[in-house]
Amino acid sequence: MRSVRDLDLSGKRVFLRADLNVPLAGGTIADATRIDATLPTIRLVLERGGRPVIASHLGRPKGARQPELSLKPVAEYLGKALGVPVTLAPDCVGEATERLVNAAPPGQVVLLENLRFHPEEEQNDDAFARQLARLADVYVDDAFGAVHRAHASTVGMTKYFRDKAAGLLLEREVKFLSGLLEQPAQPFVAVLGGAKVSDKIGVIESLVQRVSTICIGGAMAYTFLRAEQKPVGRSRVEADKLDVAREVAIRATDRGVTLLLPVDHLAADKPEAGARTTVVDAEHFPADLIGVDIGPRTAEIYRARIVKAKTVLWNGPMGIFEIDAFAKGTIAIAEALAACKGTTVVGGGDSVAALRRAGKIDAVTHVSTGGGASLEFLEGRELPGLLALEEDAPR
């Protein structure tokens, strides 16, 4: 892929596909992490004399205009963060939008309205892609969180550009995630959590060929424990994935990879705030309780592996992180990563939130902005948005 640094941007309209899909609460931005992550690319375009035309989706409007999913709050945030005028276009395509984009002076940013107000975006419709392409001279993709989707703004329109490149954020994501797959420094520890084995099985199968240790937490740990015929009480188990869990354990053993499962748990009578909780040994899990977090001994075992590692990947919480009483294990992992001197890469919203809550967001090497995209990348899949940037320019 070419880099945005390699393009001549002066005086040119630059279509910048960003991932500005931020959570909103009452019409205001609840977490601006994704916007902040793409600011360096926007600033570079402005500094090089380019005229940014920024496009993004927001939420799931299902192909219909929904005022509550307008990018208006994002336009206001961008204006304050960049210190330049940011105009929200009435739509992402159409004559009025084209006139607005073409009339925008240097130093001004145009933000297109929500791409997913049009069903053609997710359908990768060619006519819609052509309309988007008419808005710019150069194409830059900085939306890592969307590169696993073959949509009009990530794939379809790119064939109409001779000059196309990756933005600074996309470059950084590819650099660090590729590093985990190619020649990661050893020991390499992967910490995987979350609810379902089925969500992570592709990643586990890829990582078991590369890591020295895998630490499993979250609800997915109970499927692995049940596969080993350990008691898990009323904890969530994917019964149809027990054979998969056994196969992963066998594969790890065959490759000399240490697969660590919780040796103790925080168990509760219900998965809710205010629940009665107790720390239980993994061998003696009460039949009437539910696992809601890893226990303190498990957290210490995982910490010992993490702090000595040369490379660490963390994706997924260790418990029901949304409830403060069940968040200690996840916070402990965040603090362990901050103490590690090696390369530390974190992905997944809850993992990032734990880093932020622990005040350690700046203590890790790389925080990935792409949830599904980062998982598919680590599985070794070809991502359509990245392939589109590698294809030959039009003749």
Side-chain angles (χ1 to χ4, degrees):
M1 294 183 299
R2 296 172 75 188
S3 167
V4 63
R5 296 184 185 90
D6 302 328
L7 301 181
D8 175 12
L9 305 177
S10 181
K12 295 181 179 177
R13 300 169 302 164
V14 180
F15 191 101
L16 177 57
R17 178 50 163 107
D19 183 4
L20 309 177
N21 183 29
V22 293
L24 299 177
T28 61
I29 296 169
D31 182 354
T33 300
R34 284 181 171 173
I35 305 176
D36 293 340
T38 204
L39 290 176
T41 302
I42 303 172
R43 291 191 178 109
L44 177 68
V45 173
L46 289 167
E47 289 166 5
R48 298 277 181 92
R51 294 155 56 196
V53 181
I54 304 174
S56 178
H57 68 282
L58 178 62
R60 296 179 178 176
K62 298 181 179 178
R65 183 174 286 271
Q66 295 186 24
E68 68 274 16
L69 292 178
S70 168
L71 284 163
K72 185 172 184 289
V74 176
E76 293 169 353
Y77 183 94
L78 280 173
K80 292 175 183 175
L82 294 168
V84 301
V86 176
T87 302
L88 179 66
D91 203 344
C92 59
V93 291
E95 290 184 9
T97 295
E98 287 188 36
R99 285 195 301 270
L100 177 65
V101 168
N102 292 333
Q108 184 169 316
V109 173
V110 174
L111 175 64
L112 304 181
E113 186 53 283
N114 195 334
L115 290 162
R116 291 189 185 172
F117 283 172
H118 294 262
E120 296 89 348
E121 159 66 2
E122 293 184 84
Q123 293 164 1
N124 194 17
D125 179 80
D126 186 60
F128 183 71
R130 279 179 180 269
Q131 285 186 284
L132 290 173
R134 281 205 297 267
L135 299 173
D137 309 300
V138 174
Y139 177 88
V140 175
D141 193 345
D142 212 30
F144 179 72
V147 292
H148 61 317
R149 306 298 188 199
H151 293 169
S153 65
T154 58
V155 173
M157 67 182 292
T158 63
K159 63 187 176 186
Y160 297 112
F161 290 88
R162 184 172 302 279
D163 291 326
K164 54 189 175 181
L168 303 179
L169 170 63
L170 184 58
E171 273 191 304
R172 183 175 171 84
E173 292 275 13
V174 170
K175 172 187 173 183
F176 281 102
L177 294 179
S178 294
L180 298 180
L181 297 179
E182 291 166 4
Q183 288 186 314
Q186 298 290 344
F188 177 6
V189 175
V191 184
L192 301 176
K196 296 180 179 179
V197 174
S198 51
D199 290 343
K200 300 281 177 27
I201 187 60
V203 172
I204 295 172
E205 289 178 341
S206 174
L207 292 176
V208 80
Q209 304 173 52
R210 297 170 169 88
V211 301
S212 54
T213 303
I214 300 177
C215 303
I216 302 288
M220 62 187 285
Y222 302 109
T223 299
F224 277 91
L225 289 165
R226 175 67 64 80
E228 292 187 355
Q229 299 185 324
K230 299 284 180 65
V232 297
R234 294 189 293 114
S235 305
R236 179 176 180 173
V237 171
E238 288 180 274
D240 62 336
K241 293 294 182 290
L242 293 175
D243 287 342
V244 171
R246 292 187 192 101
E247 289 168 10
V248 167
I250 291 169
R251 196 169 301 134
T253 300
D254 289 345
R255 295 193 66 90
V257 173
T258 302
L259 182 67
L260 295 178
L261 297 173
V263 297
D264 62 344
H265 309 267
L266 181 69
D269 58 348
K270 54 186 178 180
E272 301 169 8
R276 176 176 57 86
T277 62
T278 183
V279 174
V280 301
D281 185 271
E283 300 291 339
H284 305 94
F285 202 115
D288 61 337
L289 297 183
I290 301 169
V292 293
D293 192 12
I294 58 173
R297 283 198 298 133
T298 302
E300 186 51 42
I301 291 169
Y302 289 5
R303 174 187 169 81
R305 294 279 179 160
I306 291 167
V307 297
K308 293 178 182 178
K310 294 289 182 64
T311 309
V312 183
L313 167 68
W314 177 27
N315 186 290
M318 297 292 100
I320 305 176
F321 175 72
E322 299 83 359
I323 298 171
D324 287 347
F326 307 157
K328 287 183 179 178
T330 304
I331 295 293
I333 297 299
E335 292 173 342
L337 260 80
C340 177
K341 303 302 182 185
T343 298
T344 48
V345 179
V346 180
D350 285 334
S351 304
V352 176
L355 279 173
R356 186 171 286 108
R357 190 189 298 186
K360 306 296 184 181
I361 196 77
D362 296 323
V364 297
T365 310
H366 179 64
V367 176
S368 179
T369 59
S374 60
L375 290 178
E376 290 192 21
F377 190 103
L378 292 170
E379 287 176 27
R381 295 195 202 180
E382 291 186 331
L383 306 186
L386 298 184
L387 288 176
L389 294 178
E390 296 173 1
E391 290 171 358
D392 291 337
R395 300 300 176 192

